[in-house]
Amino acid sequence: MSKFDLSNIKYVEIPSKGIFRLLRFTIDDKTYIAKTLKEEYVERRQYVALLKKEYEAVAKLHSTYLPVYYELIDDTRLGRCIVEEYIEGRSITDYLAEQHTEEEQERVARQLIDALQSIHQRFMVHRNLKPSNILLTKQGDNVKLIDLRPPFADEIQAPFTSTRFQAPEQKDETVAVDTRSDIYSLGLVLRQMTLPDNFAPVIAKCCSLGRTDRYMYAEDVATALDSRPSVDFSQGLKWAALVAGAAVIVGAIVYIAQSGISFGSDETPEEATSYILPDTVAADTAKQVAEVDTLSAVVPSGCNVDSVKQVIAARLESIYRPYQGDSIGTHSRQQISEQVRNCYYGIMRRLGTVTPEERAVIDQYFAKYRSNKDAQLKTE
């Protein structure tokens, strides 16, 4: 039996845009949020299904920087609701207006990247990253990333209330949305912050109009920042010492090279450039990780575009083949979408040696091939 019986609970409605109502209520001295549909959507089955899908997806995410989803209930008065953690805080826009230091803002930026990383590690996309969905807690100024838009059947689309922070491909719907759309939105948010110098080139790459020029995952953004240490140019003597030390190291390297001295390596060039999935992926996603590794293994590093196209065609045909000729429902479409998404990520992770132009061609080929296969499916 649910502990959240809302039939007689008093609540305060929090003003919100979009399709959802947000209701604040208290049980046993603890405050929660009930997320339910606005009246004009409550009888539309596709949006009721959207609530369930959001709960099933987000409840599996465990991160300090994401709200806790406690339960999905069907209330006699409010209809279907997600009961989630109430976050006492303010948006990142209000936080920045408080004139925090560069160091404090960098801490928030790092937390935001970590929050997005916990989503991408699940092969999910936030889809709605913008300042109003980034909250800072009243106690501790810790990030809470809210309003994640989980993947759902193609025919179920929730309206967006703002497009300012959307990636170009989200606005014109030219290709399927993936994690790089989140990266673009992340870059726009980070641009509004006062951050150390090492953030500038990373933000610029995040905000590339062509998604093949962006980082693939939030983890890649964090790695890029860690490889670009911030330099405090006010420390003139220390900087001079570093330059002098670097000169000594370069001289030593030149001497070693001229002397013919070599050092062994356990890595072959191919191993050194291969992609590795993050170790922090939760245990219950091991199956997805294995599928991605299997798919990516068939795409050799450095292969040409035509061979990648052949792999894409073969893999997508194998995914869609069991569903050909039969009418399918929403659940089957969700299964197909998950398999296609894992296939896409697995293949794209192996394309580190191709040019941006070649990657764009492969990207467009995948999207077009998938679109054609989707059009052939029969719906119940």
Side-chain angles (χ1 to χ4, degrees):
M1 181 178 178
S2 172
K3 64 172 286 188
F4 299 104
D5 181 5
L6 306 183
S7 56
N8 296 312
I9 291 292
K10 293 183 178 180
Y11 58 80
V12 176
E13 183 158 358
I14 301 173
S16 62
K17 299 178 181 179
I19 67 174
F20 296 116
R21 297 176 68 194
L22 301 177
L23 312 175
R24 187 176 73 237
F25 66 95
T26 302
I27 295 179
D28 297 333
D29 297 325
K30 185 171 182 178
T31 304
Y32 303 89
I33 289 290
K35 184 176 184 178
T36 187
L37 294 168
K38 291 183 177 178
E39 186 176 352
E40 58 267 37
Y41 297 101
V42 75
E43 298 296 332
R44 299 171 67 174
R45 289 187 300 173
Q46 66 267 39
Y47 292 109
V48 176
L50 174 60
L51 264 178
K52 180 180 180 182
K53 189 160 184 64
E54 176 179 339
Y55 174 79
E56 290 174 344
V58 181
K60 296 177 183 178
L61 298 174
H62 302 287
S63 170
T64 305
Y65 308 120
L66 298 174
V68 178
Y69 275 34
Y70 293 105
E71 197 171 335
L72 179 71
I73 62 174
D74 288 303
D75 183 73
T76 55
R77 181 172 52 152
L78 300 174
R80 180 162 291 176
C81 302
I82 295 174
V83 179
E84 60 181 271
E85 174 187 8
Y86 170 66
I87 301 165
E88 188 175 5
R90 70 281 198 210
S91 73
I92 194 170
T93 301
D94 293 334
Y95 168 84
L96 295 177
E98 297 167 1
Q99 302 298 315
H100 289 270
T101 66
E102 180 182 283
E103 182 179 358
E104 291 170 335
Q105 292 188 47
E106 180 182 6
R107 173 180 166 274
V108 167
R110 294 277 187 172
Q111 287 188 2
L112 177 57
I113 294 168
D114 287 345
L116 198 57
Q117 184 174 335
S118 67
I119 295 171
H120 289 177
Q121 285 175 346
R122 285 276 188 169
F123 308 104
M124 294 171 60
V125 185
H126 187 283
R127 286 178 167 80
N128 198 23
L129 185 61
K130 57 185 179 181
S132 60
N133 287 334
I134 304 167
L135 303 184
L136 278 298
T137 60
K138 186 176 181 180
Q139 298 294 328
D141 286 337
N142 293 313
V143 166
K144 289 287 187 177
L145 183 56
I146 64 171
D147 200 22
L148 184 149
R149 295 285 177 90
F152 39 81
D154 292 339
E155 68 270 16
I156 304 176
Q157 292 288 341
F160 286 89
T161 57
S162 173
T163 61
R164 179 183 171 190
F165 289 86
Q166 284 186 351
E169 63 271 16
Q170 278 184 282
K171 295 178 181 179
D172 57 27
E173 299 182 349
T174 51
V175 292
V177 171
D178 66 13
T179 50
R180 290 170 292 180
S181 301
D182 283 347
I183 297 300
Y184 182 88
S185 302
L186 172 67
L188 293 186
V189 172
L190 295 180
R191 270 185 176 174
Q192 300 188 23
M193 306 176 71
T194 303
L195 297 166
D197 296 333
N198 61 319
F199 274 78
V202 175
I203 292 173
K205 185 175 176 68
C206 289
C207 295
S208 298
L209 292 179
R211 70 175 186 170
T212 55
D213 297 325
R214 302 175 208 146
Y215 300 104
M216 188 74 188
Y217 302 98
E219 179 188 16
D220 300 328
V221 177
T223 301
L225 287 172
D226 291 338
S227 66
R228 294 175 178 270
S230 181
V231 177
D232 184 357
F233 291 100
S234 65
Q235 303 293 324
L237 292 177
K238 290 183 179 180
W239 178 245
L242 286 173
V243 172
V248 172
I249 293 172
V250 170
I253 292 173
V254 171
Y255 172 77
I256 291 170
Q258 292 176 343
S259 302
I261 302 173
S262 63
F263 297 93
S265 173
D266 294 330
E267 286 186 328
T268 65
E270 182 177 352
E271 290 171 340
T273 57
S274 64
Y275 287 93
I276 302 173
L277 287 172
D279 295 330
T280 52
V281 177
D284 57 352
T285 60
K287 181 179 178 182
Q288 286 182 308
V289 175
E291 289 174 354
V292 172
D293 282 340
T294 301
L295 290 165
S296 60
V298 302
V299 185
S301 296
C303 60
N304 60 44
V305 172
D306 289 338
S307 61
V308 176
K309 286 182 176 180
Q310 292 174 9
V311 172
I312 290 172
R315 286 295 176 177
L316 290 182
E317 287 295 338
S318 68
I319 290 172
Y320 283 89
R321 189 175 298 115
Y323 303 95
Q324 290 177 348
D326 298 325
S327 297
I328 64 172
T330 299
H331 180 67
S332 295
R333 281 188 175 273
Q334 292 170 356
Q335 289 180 321
I336 292 172
S337 294
E338 182 175 346
Q339 292 179 60
V340 169
R341 185 168 63 253
N342 290 343
C343 172
Y344 176 82
Y345 289 161
I347 290 173
M348 296 307 285
R349 273 185 173 273
R350 296 290 296 176
L351 299 181
T353 57
V354 299
T355 66
E357 292 77 15
E358 290 172 329
R359 184 182 287 266
V361 170
I362 293 168
D363 209 2
Q364 292 170 5
Y365 180 83
F366 191 102
K368 184 175 181 180
Y369 204 104
R370 179 194 178 179
S371 178
N372 290 339
K373 300 304 295 185
D374 282 339
Q376 296 172 16
L377 294 175
K378 297 179 180 179
T379 304
E380 290 180 346

